[in-house]
Amino acid sequence: MSPSVPLQEMIRAIRSARTQCEERGVIQRECAAIRAQFRQADNGGRSHNLAKLLYVHMLGYPAHFGQMECVRMIASPRYSEKRVGYLGAMMLLDEKQDASLLITNSIKNDLSHSNQYVQSLALCTLACMGSAEMCRDLAPEIDRLLRASNSYIKKKAALCAVHIVRKVHELGELFVPAARSLLSEKNHGVLHGAVVLIIELCEQNPETLERFRKTVPDLVQIMKGLVLSGYSPEHDVAGISDPFLQVRILRLLRILGRNNEGASDSMNDLLAQVATNTDSTKTVGNAVLYETVLTVLDIKSESGLRVLAVNILGRFLLNNDRNIRYIAMTSLQKIVGTDHNAVQRHRGTIVDCLKDQDASVKRRALELSLALVSASNIRSMMKELLLFLSSCPPELRAHAASGIFNAAERYAPSQRWHIDTMLHVLITAGGDVRDETVPNLIQLITNASELHCYTVHKLYRALLLDISQQSLVQVACWCIGEYGDLLLKGDCQETEPVQVTEDDALDALETVLQSHMSSPATRGFALTATMKLSTRITDNVDRIRSIVSIYGSCIDVELQQRAVEYNALFRKYDHMRAAVLERMPVIEKNSPGHTNGESTGEAVKDVPTAKMKQGEPLLLQQPANQVHRSDHPPGPAVDCLVSGLSVHAAGTAGGDLLDLLGGFEPAELSPVLAYDKGGVTLTLSCEKQSDTGLTVTLTASNSSDSDLSSFTLQAAVPKSVQLHMKAPSGDSLPARGTAKVTQMVVLNNPNKVNLKMRVRVSYTRQGSPFQDTVQIDSFPGLDSQL
Amino acid sequence: MPMRFLLLFSRQGKLRLQKWFTPLTDREKKKVIRDVMALVLARPPRSCNFLHWRDIKVVYKRYASLYFCTGLEDQDNELLTLEVLHRYVELLDKYFGNVCELDIIFNFEKAYYILDEFLMGGEVLETSKVAVSVSMENADTLQETMEEYMNRPAF
């Protein structure tokens, strides 16, 4: 076939242009010539011109003026012109262009052309860019071609039908009978097209799927033929007979066998045969094995077959080829939830993949490793994960850090280990952790009271080494401020003693304050810490006083405000300073994942000021009563500090603070333990809404060592009482009280009968269901009122 | 389930062939080409042939100076797609005889015609190498004879 000379000459001219500008010039000239030619009457070179235009289009230059020419060429009787015209239509027209509708008629005519190659052009174009209207128009034609034509056209019609069904779902019904009959064809191309079409029909419509289930035996036969047949030169690829068709049939079997015992049973033998007989030395064999494994894991296969499939994946993990390892991990990720133990066996190999050079493999290995962490392997896994974190590519750092935190929170074997791990992460990847890490870590530290000394020493040393990681610096400053006395004492059993003088500590804090690397939030932390040290050290209080007064004229408004207030604390309110800056009690744990307000640093800093209460110096006498909510915003509390005791801090966090004072709020009553068995506890708290109405909140918690699922509560009350149960917060209770389930029950007792409630607790523990009933006779605080 | 697109480009980032199996605007197409090309060209040699970009899987393979790159949906079989790319290269090789990038540059429309005999709507159309070659030969012959026929003077 002689190449198009004008086209090649133009391509040569464009390629010989030495600069972008020169190239643009050549192209502009050529386009002008092409435009002129388009306007002329029919000459022999039309197809060459359009081809030139298409080349220019591929280089990225605009070519929309060629759209009408495409339409004209498609209508031409010459095959050469039709060919280029259709190619142009596929490249320049898409369903969004108006011109595409103009070719519908040409396509319709060409579909019934006497020459099959013309028919195939039309089919191809329709399948590539046919819009919904065109598809609706031409669907009957395609159906006709599916039934009565040669195999060349049938296979193209089949894929064209696939496109139509994707565009217009309702037309699927039209093709079902034809698709069914195509399965008995011998030609592989037609068979392949038929299988693709059936897959599409089944995915769109579940009823169609039911009807096609009957074809499973036929499909199994075809597959068997392919797997067991001898060498067929036409379809052979490295010893596998027609892998494309095999993979497609496996996909269809997967769809038909899903959730269906009968169909799955009939494919078991075949799948086992394919899994064992397929040669896995080349990629093509592995492709078929991969599809087989996916199918086995998705249908209701028998356990022996499932084990075989997971073993194949295990073999894949050890393969030298990176691609194979990558897809093995992708598949294992899908089943790690259901076949957890099977995947655990390969944990070693997966962890090794963390060290692979390739970024894609690393990412997969990280996700899978995080999913495999459990209470038994937490120490060894964490070692590997931390090692990974220190050398991992930057785009994976944030994900790795948050994964490590979650794992540490769920499975930490000891508090010291937990703190150590979090510190390690902050030192390695402090810039990539989420904002709530800082308050979470601080809360964790306050909870571990015996480790305060160890923690503050460790943080101080880390601070000396590096002050660029903001999260780490924030936590370190907070700890130095809070536990400065322990730091200065110098002796600590858990770590080597280091002599820290007051000047050293203040130097460290001042470095943070002055460094340009510190963010404004961090400097806020450092300033507050410096202030707190004023009550924990003896000699250098003047130095602190001078630092604080300098920052009173700082250009940063937040720092300035703090400094001014601390100054006031030194001057007018010096008698209160010791109390205000006293050691903070343990911060109560919020529910996991709870973000404590918008700002991170500021929130924690203001906790000492929240000690201000309505009208009384409660903080001096009852420090134990106070719960510090870290989401207390700075505003009103700060005012409170300045103006003394007159303004109460309850303004914004009103209800929360007043809660603790017990008797102040009569409507809210303290929770009562209603049920305690097998590690499951149910507490009950009531709130009177009206004279006859009552809202009961049931809170369930699980302190045993195993997770509970399908946790449900049912309630029954005396006849005249109306009961309405709201939706529960969840239905799973993880072990060791990591999360609770709450459910509200609204009661209405218009007849004021004696209120009793029977509650049935049901849940599943390790696969076996459990049920119990408890009767609640007394509701806290209700006595004679209700 | 089908492929979303097929791109061929050189190491210098010049596009040699683009086939789109989903309707996208010109701007969207340009964006996809830019992003995917950047991702693939940045990969070191001997890395894994699979990438993740937005919500699609990208499978690519380098043959001499050309990258063959395709985008797949989530449930597709990546290993089979590598075979599909390989099959396309084999078909080009059979047609052009020891194909190289220049063949594809100067005869781009033939590369498209071959592709259209092998894939349609993002799915494999014909699984036999021989059948595709035969169709191409016949179509080319038809083109020639039609041309000759049309150019023959009518007496």
Side-chain angles (χ1 to χ4, degrees), chain A residues 752-771:
Chain A
K752 308 229 182 161
V753 301
N754 203 4
L755 191 62
K756 294 181 197 300
M757 187 160 80
R758 193 172 291 179
V759 176
R760 180 186 291 176
V761 176
S762 42
Y763 55 85
T764 307
R765 185 203 290 272
Q766 286 163 341
S768 41
F770 181 89
Q771 243 181 35

Side-chain angles (χ1 to χ4, degrees), chain A residues 618-629:
Chain A
L618 283 176
L619 36 102
L620 292 171
Q621 283 115 33
Q622 301 168 32
N625 277 1
Q626 289 142 15
V627 170
H628 300 278
R629 295 291 289 249

Side-chain angles (χ1 to χ4, degrees), chain A residues 459-477:
Chain A
L459 282 169
Y460 174 75
R461 263 197 286 262
L463 192 64
L464 287 183
L465 287 173
D466 175 21
I467 59 168
S468 62
Q469 308 269 42
Q470 297 305 296
S471 326
L472 181 65
V473 174
Q474 285 173 7
V475 176
C477 287

Side-chain angles (χ1 to χ4, degrees), chain A residues 117 155-156 322-323 358, chain B residues 46-49 120 126 138:
Chain A
Y117 295 101
K155 72 185 184 204
K156 298 209 175 196
R322 277 211 175 94
N323 296 334
D358 186 279
Chain B
R46 275 201 303 273
S47 10
C48 181
N49 291 101
M120 192 155 99
E126 177 55 68
N138 291 346

Side-chain angles (χ1 to χ4, degrees), chain A residues 414-469:
Chain A
S414 74
Q415 279 186 324
R416 175 169 162 179
W417 182 92
H418 195 169
I419 291 178
D420 273 342
T421 310
M422 286 186 90
L423 287 183
H424 193 132
V425 175
L426 283 183
I427 293 174
T428 339
D432 296 295
V433 299
R434 288 207 316 265
D435 289 337
E436 58 236 27
T437 316
V438 172
N440 281 347
L441 181 53
I442 289 178
Q443 176 191 69
L444 190 63
I445 292 175
T446 58
N447 270 316
S449 43
E450 64 280 4
L451 291 171
H452 287 165
C453 186
Y454 165 74
T455 314
V456 73
H457 271 93
K458 211 161 162 178
L459 282 169
Y460 174 75
R461 263 197 286 262
L463 192 64
L464 287 183
L465 287 173
D466 175 21
I467 59 168
S468 62
Q469 308 269 42

Side-chain angles (χ1 to χ4, degrees), chain B residues 64-103:
Chain B
S65 57
L66 271 185
Y67 281 93
F68 285 66
C69 176
T70 171
L72 299 178
E73 305 203 349
D74 217 23
Q75 321 124 6
D76 286 335
N77 186 327
E78 297 98 317
L79 292 178
L80 193 71
T81 312
L82 279 177
E83 285 302 309
V84 168
L85 291 176
H86 190 74
R87 171 62 66 90
Y88 182 47
V89 173
E90 285 180 326
L91 291 170
L92 288 171
D93 195 53
K94 178 102 190 292
Y95 185 81
F96 288 111
N98 244 335
V99 69
C100 63
E101 191 182 344
L102 284 177
D103 289 317

